[in-house]
């Protein structure tokens, strides 16, 4: 058998990790820290002004060495090079994966099918800059001659989560004279609430859709157009001043009635969930301006370069990815909690859910065989300190092991007295409590009655990473997102799965298309699904009043 034919769990590096796991699985972080007083300093890495403390993980130096061996043996280096070179590493869709080209400097050259894509990227960025400057300055006027004061991004999935997350994360830097809303759900309420208090004469819609065929986005875009035309007297020429598109599909954009000179292009080598630095970021640029947007791109690029060039043992995304594999596949953990102690990052966990779970929620390897180990874990989280008063109980004292990523900044963007020290004291206290806990002896020593003592014990040995940086800037957000993008890449490469397709979202879409006419056009027709679906459809017909 050749090396490449080996499945992951047959590899020597994997087997060494299995044996090593048996040896250290019960080692307590208390012990590890007691044995090495410099652990907290040594088990940390810093790059691009991001500090990663990974010392509170259930690992030894040996563990890290073995994990790095695994990365090397599975060919991570070659996979990284293939991505940056523009190889078609998204095998099932036969596409290159080049979000890194979206933040490459002007002089860079990255070839797709023999053509340098970087000039195209910068041409679109120039066009976005010109447009956003005109909107922000009031030079771009609506149909009635009034300036734009409201921007509504209509998109879903990758065409929504990045823009929403970035808008929330960078609100501090945004133009507060403009109102931003994001409509994604086909639920009528989403669009109704987003438009209810706005004046159509001052509202710009950004229809963000790679394919320009997505059911939710197209339905919302058509209803938005109706809302606009109703408000502006029905003259269809108004659409040109109030709708722009972000898409790869010029034909569909024109069919919708948007002037393609108001279309901002991107390309099939940009995956939806990797698209926030493409024209999909138009709403972000409208909010924060082009200088801040370029600073964000620069942050992404710095982390891209770090990922591409740094040795694995000091490579932040690689370390984060490897630690994730250690827990998911050896400790059999099911989830990862992402806990930003920064209010502006409130949508970051939701964004990461798509990035991680759509990318690595796969059960077959690139060659189509079933994987031999668990792949992508479930990501979830909320900003701190709120979670401390709700679900942290389970992380501290429940029966499941939940690795946590704490994210915090040295400076608040809105300093208010003692708030920031209190916030940071809580991050440090949480990771300390998780790691070291409180023993029965300690609890008893505090005079706790015997019957109560077990309830007050914290076992500890609950792992976490802490990511610390100076302050949340556009550049820092870029670094942070790229850190996670590349940690997802690291894991996907080692699991040998296609992190860039999403076939799992297809079946539900197809079935919905089949059911829609059964609800709309043929309310009395016989339904031929399973008995549960039939029953639900009949009941819905009654509830909506189209059938008895
Ligand atoms: C992301 C996925 C998915 C996609 C949406 C929207 O990686 O591909 O979330 O972004 O389905 O697709 P459109 O941009 O084509 O409307």
């Amino acid at each position: 058998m050749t090396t490449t034919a080996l499945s992951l769990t047959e590899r020597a590096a994997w087997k060494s990790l299995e044996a090593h796991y048996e040896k250290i699985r019960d080692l307590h972080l208390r012990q590890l820290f007691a044995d090495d007083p410099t652990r907290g300093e040594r088990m940390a890495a810093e790059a691009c002004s991001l500090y990663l403390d990974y010392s509170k993980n259930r690992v030894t130096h040996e563990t890290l060495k073995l994990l790095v061996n695994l990365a090397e043996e599975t060919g991570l280096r070659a996979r990284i090079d293939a991505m940056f070179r523009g190889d078609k590493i998204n095998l099932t869709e036969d596409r290159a994966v080049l979000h890194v080209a979206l933040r490459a400097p002007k002089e860079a050259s990255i070839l797709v099918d023999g053509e340098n894509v970087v000039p195209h990227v910068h041409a679109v960025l120039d066009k976005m800059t010109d447009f956003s400057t005109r909107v922000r300055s009031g030079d771009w006027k609506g149909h009635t001659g009034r300036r734009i004061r409201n921007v509504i991004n209509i998109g879903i999935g990758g065409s929504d989560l990045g823009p929403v997350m970035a808008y929330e994360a960078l609100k501090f830097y945004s133009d507060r004279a403009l109102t931003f809303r994001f409509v994604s759900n086909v639920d009528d309420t989403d669009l109704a609430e987003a438009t209810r208090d706005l004046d159509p004469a001052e509202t710009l819609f950004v229809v963000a859709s790679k394919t320009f065929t997505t059911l939710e986005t197209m339905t919302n875009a058509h209803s938005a157009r109706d809302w606009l035309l109703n408000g502006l007297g029905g003259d269809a020429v108004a659409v040109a001043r109030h709708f722009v598109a972000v898409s790869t599909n010029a034909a569909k954009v024109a069919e919708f009635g948007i002037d393609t000179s108001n279309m901002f292009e991107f390309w099939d080598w940009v995956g939806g969930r990797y698209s926030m630095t493409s024209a999909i970021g138009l709403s972000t640029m409208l909010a924060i301006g082009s200088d801040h947007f370029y600073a964000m791109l620069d942050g992404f690029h710095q982390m891209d370069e770090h990922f591409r060039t740094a040795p694995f043992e000091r490579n932040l995304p690689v370390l984060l990815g490897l630690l994730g594999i250690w827990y998911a596949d050896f400790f059999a953990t099911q989830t990862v909690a992402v806990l930003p102690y920064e209010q502006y990052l409130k949508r970051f966990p939701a964004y990461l859910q798509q990035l991680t779970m759509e990318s690595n929620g796969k059960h077959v390897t690139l060659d189509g065989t079933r994987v031999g180990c668990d792949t992508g874990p479930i990501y979830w989280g909320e900003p701190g300190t709120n979670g401390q008063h709700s679900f942290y109980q389970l992380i501290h004292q429940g029966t499941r092991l939940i690795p946590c990523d704490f994210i915090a900044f040295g400076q608040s963007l809105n300093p208010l007295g003692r708030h920031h020290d209190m916030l940071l004291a809580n991050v440090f206290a949480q990771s300390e409590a998780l790691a070291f806990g409180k023993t029965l002896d300690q609890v008893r020593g505090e005079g706790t009655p015997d019957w109560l003592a077990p309830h007050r014990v914290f076992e500890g040995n609950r792992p976490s990473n802490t990511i610390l940086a100076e302050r949340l800037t556009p550049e820092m957000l870029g670094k942070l997102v790229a850190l996670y993008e590349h940690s997802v890449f690291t894991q996907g490469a080692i699991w040998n799965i296609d992190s860039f397709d999403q076939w799992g979202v297809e079946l539900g879409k197809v079935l919905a298309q089949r059911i829609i006419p059964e609800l709309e056009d043929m309310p009395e027709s016989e339904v031929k699904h399973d008995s549960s679906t039939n029953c639900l459809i009949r009941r819905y017909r009654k509830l909506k009043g189209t059938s008895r």
Side-chain angles (χ1 to χ4, degrees):
M1 199 184 269
T2 64
T3 323
T4 48
L6 281 181
S7 77
L8 179 59
T9 54
E10 288 168 333
R11 289 185 178 280
W14 189 272
K15 294 202 179 297
S16 306
L17 278 162
E18 276 175 339
H20 174 73
Y21 168 73
E22 291 306 323
K23 273 199 284 173
I24 77 146
R25 51 182 288 179
D26 296 323
L27 258 183
H28 201 289
L29 282 164
R30 279 183 214 128
Q31 192 60 48
L32 289 167
F33 272 84
D35 290 348
D36 176 5
T38 64
R39 181 180 169 95
E41 289 135 48
R42 297 208 293 153
M43 286 201 163
E46 191 165 8
C48 313
S49 318
L50 268 179
Y51 180 77
L52 169 66
D53 173 357
Y54 57 91
S55 62
K56 293 193 185 89
N57 281 292
R58 292 171 66 170
V59 294
T60 63
H61 292 288
E62 176 71 5
T63 321
L64 290 163
K65 209 177 90 199
L66 294 174
L67 285 167
V68 167
N69 286 349
L70 180 70
E72 276 160 4
E73 206 179 307
T74 49
L76 175 61
R77 177 65 62 201
R79 293 285 272 276
I80 294 173
D81 292 343
M83 171 169 74
F84 278 84
R85 206 167 43 224
D87 288 5
K88 296 194 173 169
I89 59 167
N90 176 356
L91 288 189
T92 71
E93 294 180 334
D94 191 28
R95 286 176 183 164
V97 173
L98 271 181
H99 40 283
V100 293
L102 299 169
R103 45 268 187 157
K106 256 194 175 111
E107 57 282 4
S109 169
I110 301 173
L111 304 182
V112 175
D113 295 327
E115 192 184 3
N116 182 10
V117 296
V118 178
H120 299 294
V121 167
H122 281 271
V124 174
L125 281 169
D126 289 346
K127 186 171 170 181
M128 289 164 67
T129 300
D130 178 56
F131 177 70
S132 57
T133 307
R134 290 182 66 195
V135 172
R136 286 163 61 87
S137 69
D139 177 38
W140 177 281
K141 301 276 192 290
H143 179 62
T144 65
R146 303 241 294 274
R147 65 177 292 176
I148 297 299
R149 297 192 188 278
N150 317 304
V151 176
I152 302 186
N153 188 80
I154 299 181
I156 196 164
S159 301
D160 169 68
L161 284 160
V164 184
M165 183 278 289
Y167 171 67
E168 292 295 342
L170 301 176
K171 197 183 254 178
F172 179 80
Y173 303 90
S174 70
D175 180 347
R176 305 300 177 115
L178 290 170
T179 295
F180 285 83
R181 305 241 166 109
F182 298 83
V183 173
S184 53
N185 199 337
V186 76
D187 185 330
D188 344 41
T189 298
D190 207 5
L191 183 66
E193 284 292 337
T195 49
R196 62 180 290 280
D197 54 348
L198 301 187
D199 181 345
E202 299 180 339
T203 302
L204 174 75
F205 289 94
V206 177
V207 185
S209 176
K210 182 172 166 180
T211 53
F212 232 72
T213 56
T214 304
L215 172 90
E216 291 89 339
T217 302
M218 289 304 109
T219 308
N220 278 323
H222 280 102
S223 299
R225 186 169 59 180
D226 293 346
W227 174 83
L228 181 96
L229 294 182
N230 278 341
L232 296 182
D235 186 351
V237 293
V239 171
R241 307 302 302 168
H242 294 269
F243 275 79
V244 296
V246 178
S247 188
T248 58
N249 192 342
K252 288 279 175 198
V253 169
E255 200 180 301
F256 179 88
I258 296 177
D259 183 347
T260 46
S261 61
N262 296 332
M263 168 180 152
F264 299 83
E265 192 193 1
F266 65 117
W267 307 272
D268 74 353
W269 40 263
V270 182
R273 56 196 172 276
Y274 296 89
S275 66
M276 63 174 277
T277 49
S278 73
I280 290 290
L282 183 62
S283 60
T284 314
M285 196 190 270
L286 284 162
I288 64 173
S290 58
D291 287 351
H292 285 314
F293 193 84
Y294 276 101
M296 182 182 82
L297 295 184
D298 182 49
F300 270 97
H301 180 64
Q302 288 177 51
M303 186 57 75
D304 294 342
E305 282 303 285
H306 166 71
F307 178 56
R308 189 175 68 80
T309 58
F312 290 165
E313 47 284 349
R314 283 188 278 119
N315 192 312
L316 264 48
V318 171
L319 287 168
L320 212 56
L322 289 173
L323 288 164
I325 288 186
W326 177 236
Y327 291 116
D329 289 328
F330 296 90
F331 283 87
T333 57
Q334 298 295 310
T335 83
V336 176
V338 185
L339 308 164
Y341 278 65
E342 167 54 73
Q343 187 63 21
Y344 285 124
L345 289 181
K346 65 180 182 192
R347 295 292 286 163
F348 193 60
Y351 173 79
L352 276 191
Q353 281 185 328
Q354 181 185 28
L355 180 68
T356 59
M357 291 160 70
E358 206 171 29
S359 297
N360 285 343
K362 310 288 160 65
H363 73 296
V364 292
T365 62
L366 286 172
D367 60 18
T369 55
R370 197 178 172 97
V371 292
C373 61
D374 269 337
T375 57
I378 299 154
Y379 274 74
W380 59 287
E382 282 287 327
T385 59
N386 299 12
Q388 290 174 207
H389 297 265
S390 61
F391 57 78
Y392 277 38
Q393 165 64 34
L394 185 148
I395 309 181
H396 282 289
Q397 285 191 317
T399 54
R400 295 164 200 280
L401 190 66
I402 301 178
C404 300
D405 285 355
F406 291 100
I407 301 170
F409 297 90
Q411 295 170 16
S412 168
L413 293 172
N414 298 292
L416 275 183
R418 298 171 61 213
H419 285 240
H420 201 66
D421 286 342
M422 289 185 187
L423 179 70
L424 270 282
N426 273 282
V427 192
F428 302 145
Q430 288 302 322
S431 66
E432 189 177 18
L434 287 168
F436 303 106
K438 198 173 189 183
T439 63
L440 189 59
D441 284 350
Q442 286 173 310
V443 174
R444 283 194 178 128
E446 290 169 349
T448 310
D450 278 358
W451 68 268
L452 184 58
H455 299 275
R456 302 195 59 172
V457 166
F458 287 69
E459 287 173 347
N461 218 13
R462 304 188 178 216
S464 65
N465 292 306
T466 301
I467 296 166
L468 198 58
E470 191 182 355
R471 64 200 246 128
L472 181 60
T473 59
E475 182 184 334
M476 189 53 73
L477 181 71
K479 293 171 183 178
L480 197 58
V481 174
L483 168 69
Y484 277 95
E485 282 180 349
H486 298 318
S487 81
V488 166
F489 181 95
T490 298
Q491 297 182 338
I494 293 172
W495 284 320
N496 195 30
I497 55 180
D498 192 329
S499 300
F500 302 101
D501 63 13
Q502 56 281 315
W503 299 106
V505 303
E506 291 302 316
L507 181 59
K509 281 193 205 168
V510 173
L511 294 183
Q513 287 296 353
R514 205 176 123 199
I515 295 173
I516 289 169
E518 294 173 345
L519 307 184
E520 282 185 332
D521 309 330
M522 316 176 291
E524 299 289 345
S525 65
E526 196 190 340
V527 277
K528 290 181 184 154
H529 302 268
D530 59 274
S531 58
S532 159
T533 310
N534 287 346
C535 220
L536 290 167
I537 290 174
R538 283 192 210 105
R539 187 161 280 258
Y540 171 69
R541 285 169 168 178
K542 276 199 193 128
L543 288 171
K544 75 181 267 201
T546 53
S547 171
R548 277 168 295 117

